[in-house]
Amino acid sequence: QIPAMIVAGAVWGAAWALVPAVLRAFASTNEIITSLMLNYVAALFLNYLIFDSLSYWRDTSTPDAQVFPQGKALPAEAAWPTFDLRGMVVPFGFLLAIGVAAALWVLYERTRFGYETKVIGDSPRAARYAGMRTRRKIVAVMCLSGAIAGIGGASQDGDFRHQLDARGLTQPGYGYAGIVIAALARYNPFAVVLVAVLRGGLQNAGYALQGADFPSGLVGVMEGLILFSA
């Protein structure tokens, strides 16, 4: 089931990203705005499946679940494994992220596709003058990004949540965090993994220190200062 979750997350993530990709390539819309707004569409649709209908994704196994709707819990076979590294628990999703980063580095540094993508990003006019198919590349890059985001969503459910929850699409702010992390990492795939660990450590440390009279808002201030300084 774990490989099926990874493939399904990648396929549906790419399909979902195809909408802002086509709008960006053929209508010059802002892909950040359209993709972030689509998060609410996905959340409301999943919310409908869980709370407003008797769909497959709603848990109806107990009387309490029938009265108080909730998402169906994933089976034990869908729980992703963890590894012990000298007392530190390493989720499988983290190792998968390193593998994805390595594949992206090869794609963008060692292939014609990566070279043309960089040229288009630096100067779309020069790319068109050189005969590169800019619209096709924009759609491909957006779908690739959606596939990676879908794998991240599969990791979130397989590694941590183990339950379908519509709130997980909007509340954590992963979209905004991804923009900040990518900017701090200077768009290097391996640096993205390190910066993501740093950002996650800061955020979770803030939650853990709230009981010690540490304002959680200072975490956001520190993140803003780091981004501003970089």
Side-chain angles (χ1 to χ4, degrees):
Q1 290 196 24
I2 295 174
M5 291 173 67
I6 296 172
V7 173
V11 170
W12 286 105
W16 196 256
L18 182 63
V19 177
V22 172
L23 292 174
R24 174 67 178 85
F26 295 94
S28 298
T29 59
N30 188 297
E31 68 277 8
I32 296 178
I33 295 176
T34 53
S35 58
L36 288 177
M37 292 301 100
L38 276 174
N39 288 344
Y40 294 97
V41 176
L44 290 172
F45 180 64
L46 185 57
N47 193 74
Y48 165 77
L49 293 177
I50 295 176
F51 296 102
D52 300 322
S53 66
L54 295 176
S55 68
Y56 169 80
W57 292 272
R58 175 175 173 173
D59 184 12
T60 57
S61 59
T62 63
D64 289 340
Q66 295 178 4
V67 176
F68 302 100
Q70 60 183 0
K72 182 176 291 186
L74 299 183
E77 295 81 4
W80 292 19
T82 57
F83 305 93
D84 191 301
L85 182 62
R86 297 184 178 181
M88 181 175 62
V89 178
V90 178
F92 175 71
F94 178 72
L95 302 179
L96 181 61
I98 296 176
V100 171
L104 281 178
W105 184 86
V106 173
L107 178 65
Y108 280 102
E109 297 294 335
R110 294 291 184 267
T111 66
R112 177 179 176 180
F113 175 86
Y115 173 76
E116 292 186 352
T117 300
K118 289 181 179 180
V119 173
I120 294 172
D122 291 336
S123 178
R125 288 185 178 182
R128 286 193 294 268
Y129 181 78
M132 298 179 185
R133 298 180 177 179
T134 56
R135 290 179 175 176
R136 182 178 296 183
K137 288 295 187 300
I138 290 173
V139 172
V141 169
M142 283 292 296
C143 289
L144 178 61
S145 301
I148 296 172
I151 293 174
S155 169
Q156 183 69 11
D157 283 338
D159 278 319
F160 305 108
R161 191 180 292 124
H162 306 299
Q163 185 181 22
L164 295 177
D165 188 357
R167 294 171 298 178
L169 291 173
T170 56
Q171 286 185 355
Y174 292 139
Y176 298 103
I179 296 173
V180 173
I181 291 170
L184 284 175
R186 302 294 178 90
Y187 313 110
N188 183 295
F190 294 111
V192 163
V193 177
L194 297 177
V195 175
V197 171
L198 172 63
R199 199 264 181 185
L202 280 174
Q203 186 175 29
N204 287 290
Y207 295 148
L209 292 174
Q210 284 187 23
D213 297 329
F214 180 85
S216 60
L218 285 179
V219 174
V221 174
M222 292 175 62
E223 292 178 357
L225 288 173
I226 293 172
L227 179 62
F228 182 77
S229 300

